[in-house]
Amino acid sequence: TVKKSTTPTNGTSGFHSYGNAEHNFSIKYPPYVEVRNGFSTFHEIGNNWRLYASQVNQGKSVVSFSIHSIDQGSYSTGFQSYPLYFTAEVRVGVSPNVKECYATDIGYTNQKVTNVTINGVAFKKFSTTESAMMKYTQAESYRTIHNNKCFVLEQIKSGTSYKDEKMKPGTSESALNNYYNLGETIIKTFKFTK
């Protein structure tokens, strides 16, 4: 099924607000974005509390914001449009394991880590890109420790780049990238309420 949504625009006017009383934070998102309690597995991405968490580093998936999702299965039947599957989403996870909060992701020995400030709070941003066999996952993982908990906000896109001559053009790469980039706009509205 292909979920229809309007084209993302810059700025956050008209965004809805999500508040979480258990973990004391708020975040804003466009009205067409689907909000889910917890995470869903989608092709290459699992439903763990954060991407690439180690077995010792466990936490709780809190909320996800599905910006745009296409799922026509993993195999071409000759009737689909490009891409067969794609998701752009923002996820918020929380862990009591603050010791591992800023650990680099498994398999990313030279992971790019930068410092980012979001509404006065210092975060470390961990970048990952993975692609093989016409599948890819790209993510920016923003992490901070607040009230003895590790908060992880992730901007994710995952999909397939598979194309064949029978497939219709479908969604352009620039439109897919715009959905992904909207994730950063959503993340930058994140605020702690306590």
Side-chain angles (χ1 to χ4, degrees), residues 162-188:
Y162 175 83
K163 266 185 188 161
D164 65 37
E165 66 285 345
K166 292 180 266 178
M167 289 172 79
K168 295 178 198 86
T171 310
S172 70
E173 290 300 331
S174 67
L176 297 175
N177 283 330
N178 285 341
Y179 293 125
Y180 174 67
N181 293 335
L182 179 60
E184 183 180 9
T185 304
I186 293 170
I187 283 172
K188 290 195 168 162

Side-chain angles (χ1 to χ4, degrees), residues 85-105:
Y85 62 87
F86 170 85
T87 189
E89 56 189 81
V90 167
R91 293 175 166 188
V92 180
V94 178
S95 174
N97 188 347
V98 294
K99 191 172 63 98
E100 299 282 330
C101 197
Y102 302 127
T104 54
D105 292 316

Side-chain angles (χ1 to χ4, degrees), residues 4-159:
K4 296 277 183 232
S5 65
T6 54
T7 308
T9 55
N10 292 340
T12 58
S13 69
F15 275 30
H16 292 194
S17 231
Y18 167 89
N20 187 291
E22 182 185 356
H23 299 291
N24 303 308
F25 70 85
S26 71
I27 193 166
K28 293 182 177 181
Y29 61 93
Y32 58 83
V33 166
E34 186 182 336
V35 181
R36 300 181 186 132
N37 293 322
F39 304 163
S40 319
T41 298
F42 185 86
H43 296 273
E44 274 53 72
I45 58 173
N47 63 357
N48 202 353
W49 79 281
R50 79 167 177 80
L51 284 177
Y52 315 121
S54 70
Q55 291 304 315
V56 295
N57 188 4
Q58 291 304 304
K60 179 182 176 190
S61 57
V62 178
V63 63
S64 67
F65 300 90
S66 176
I67 298 165
H68 192 75
S69 189
I70 299 166
D71 194 352
Q72 306 175 92
S74 302
Y75 301 99
S76 174
T77 62
F79 298 103
Q80 301 115 314
S81 56
Y82 180 82
L84 288 174
Y85 62 87
F86 170 85
T87 189
E89 56 189 81
V90 167
R91 293 175 166 188
V92 180
V94 178
S95 174
N97 188 347
V98 294
K99 191 172 63 98
E100 299 282 330
C101 197
Y102 302 127
T104 54
D105 292 316
I106 295 166
Y108 289 92
T109 44
N110 297 320
Q111 188 169 27
K112 183 181 168 197
V113 181
T114 52
N115 294 315
V116 178
T117 302
I118 300 170
N119 294 312
V121 176
F123 282 80
K124 287 202 176 296
K125 179 170 117 174
F126 296 75
S127 302
T128 55
T129 304
E130 199 180 337
S131 63
M133 297 167 47
M134 298 190 185
K135 301 177 233 182
Y136 62 86
T137 301
Q138 182 180 343
E140 301 296 337
S141 181
Y142 298 78
R143 305 176 197 164
T144 194
I145 296 169
H146 184 78
N147 290 339
N148 290 318
K149 289 186 264 190
C150 174
F151 284 79
V152 178
L153 312 149
E154 290 184 315
Q155 170 191 1
I156 302 166
K157 77 171 173 178
S158 186

